[in-house]
Amino acid sequence: MPVRTNAPYALIDYPDYLNPGDAAIWLGTRAVLDKLNGTPPAYTSALKNFSAQRCRSAIGDGVIYFLGGGNFGDFYSRHHRARLRVLSLVPRNPVVQLPASCAWMAETDAAVLEETRRVLSNREPVIFFAREEKSRADLERLLGLESTLCPDLAHALHFEPSAPTADLRAVLRNDREASQPVDPAAIEVFDWRDLKAQVAWNRFGKFALAVAPRSKKLGTQDWVTSAKVASAVSLLRPARTVITDRLHAFILSNELGRNVLVLDNRTGKVFAYIDAWREHFPHVRKAANLRSAIGAVSGFQTASNLMMSHGD
């Protein structure tokens, strides 16, 4: 469970980009921190828009929470360096890195590692939460950092139950985290960018935040992220079984009560996450590739139906 504070606090790294998974983390984090601290954040910002002056004006020497996710490391070097810039601007504020996964290149960038060590050594210690054991090990091995295991905060979201209306849906990455090519002849495949509503809300959200008065900023952030998550859920909800290599397509499908056949992504975070919290995912199975996942669908659905009948 993240660290509690009674003082005004900040939540940094608002996901002002097209990824409903990170939007789900934002909403789950907002719910967890509101319950934990009893108040909403006094200051929020995307990394690129962070103002140390406004942050200190709002929270003084209070706690700064950094949104969790899968981008701690040089795989997303621009995002990681933006995080380091913010950390260097507020060296006296306590910082909590909420549940995250490391994303390092196979040949780790020595310059990024050195910059990370330098920034962290020149400020108050950062409290780290890792989503799985692989990231805990990476933080210790590469940076000498201790961390606490904690699940992704998107699990704090809950959805109204509904009966599936289709047998199968495949949501597979079409970006640099994809671990294997997808044969479009094998199955109809979607990714988040295929959703017109997702694209529209991403564009509109940037405009809405640009014109929103400061007093309405947090409400606008929550409104936009809620719409992005709703769009993703509308893709997943109809299916009885979801095949995916996206961590949050898997998490959202699990929260919807769907069967999920999961492929790993390029950084290994998806299988690592399942391995860390396996007992919480009775309707989730790992698959080596898309072909094996498709072949396992009918047997998985039969087994899942038997488990549900036995539970009743």
Side-chain angles (χ1 to χ4, degrees):
M1 178 63 70
V3 178
R4 186 174 183 269
T5 180
N6 293 317
Y9 65 93
L11 176 59
I12 306 303
D13 200 2
Y14 170 76
D16 191 18
Y17 44 82
L18 201 161
N19 188 332
D22 287 352
I25 298 175
W26 175 269
L27 293 176
T29 299
R30 288 277 292 109
V32 168
L33 293 183
D34 274 14
K35 184 174 182 179
L36 189 70
N37 297 330
T39 59
Y43 177 80
T44 61
S45 176
L47 289 177
K48 64 183 179 182
N49 299 325
F50 179 78
S51 165
Q53 180 180 2
R54 289 180 183 174
C55 183
R56 283 193 292 264
S57 176
I59 71 167
D61 292 331
V63 175
I64 298 176
Y65 297 92
F66 277 72
L67 194 72
N71 50 35
F72 191 93
D74 64 350
F75 193 87
Y76 291 104
S77 59
R78 187 167 72 173
H79 196 97
H80 186 70
R81 283 195 159 105
R83 178 190 289 108
L84 296 179
R85 181 187 71 86
V86 174
L87 287 170
S88 67
L89 290 173
V90 285
R92 291 185 297 276
N93 288 80
V95 166
V96 179
Q97 173 59 65
L98 295 169
S101 293
C102 290
W104 299 100
M105 298 294 289
E107 294 185 9
T108 307
D109 188 326
V112 174
L113 272 178
E114 181 56 33
E115 184 181 1
T116 304
R117 294 189 187 108
R118 177 182 57 78
V119 169
L120 292 175
S121 66
N122 289 333
R123 58 156 294 110
E124 291 295 313
V126 176
I127 297 173
F128 278 86
F129 290 89
R131 295 192 295 197
E132 20 73 17
E133 292 290 353
K134 177 178 177 295
S135 292
R136 285 185 72 188
D138 283 350
L139 289 170
E140 172 64 32
R141 175 177 58 88
L142 296 172
L143 298 169
L145 297 173
E146 294 185 357
S147 59
T148 301
L149 199 64
C150 182
D152 191 282
L153 296 188
H155 288 292
L157 302 181
H158 302 288
F159 304 98
E160 290 295 322
S162 64
T165 57
D167 283 336
L168 182 63
R169 180 134 293 169
V171 180
L172 298 172
R173 306 193 74 111
N174 186 23
D175 62 11
R176 62 195 300 249
E177 280 194 49
S179 63
Q180 52 192 283
V182 174
D183 179 5
I187 190 173
E188 185 179 18
V189 172
F190 298 88
D191 199 6
W192 299 139
R193 288 185 178 276
D194 297 322
L195 300 174
K196 292 182 179 179
Q198 197 68 224
V199 175
W201 272 106
N202 189 56
R203 291 174 179 169
F204 177 72
K206 294 177 187 295
F207 170 76
L209 282 169
V211 301
R214 199 170 299 172
S215 62
K216 302 292 185 182
K217 182 179 177 182
L218 180 59
T220 303
Q221 289 169 328
D222 291 347
W223 176 49
V224 172
T225 49
S226 294
K228 290 180 178 179
V229 171
S231 170
V233 168
S234 70
L235 176 66
L236 302 168
R237 186 186 289 277
R240 187 181 309 277
T241 299
V242 174
I243 297 175
T244 189
D245 59 357
R246 281 196 171 274
L247 180 62
H248 287 91
F250 141 54
I251 288 176
L252 292 174
S253 297
N254 181 74
E255 296 301 323
L256 288 164
R258 300 315 190 227
N259 302 321
V260 194
L261 286 156
V262 182
L263 286 65
D264 208 0
N265 76 316
R266 185 177 170 188
T267 66
K269 69 182 178 186
V270 182
F271 278 10
Y273 191 79
I274 293 173
D275 291 340
W277 308 101
R278 183 182 297 276
E279 67 272 19
H280 300 288
F281 307 133
H283 300 291
V284 175
R285 290 184 183 175
K286 296 193 291 187
N289 51 53
L290 180 58
R291 182 179 297 276
S292 63
I294 295 171
V297 169
S298 59
F300 188 21
Q301 290 180 346
T302 300
S304 179
N305 290 338
L306 287 173
M307 286 174 63
M308 294 175 66
S309 298
H310 182 70
D312 294 340

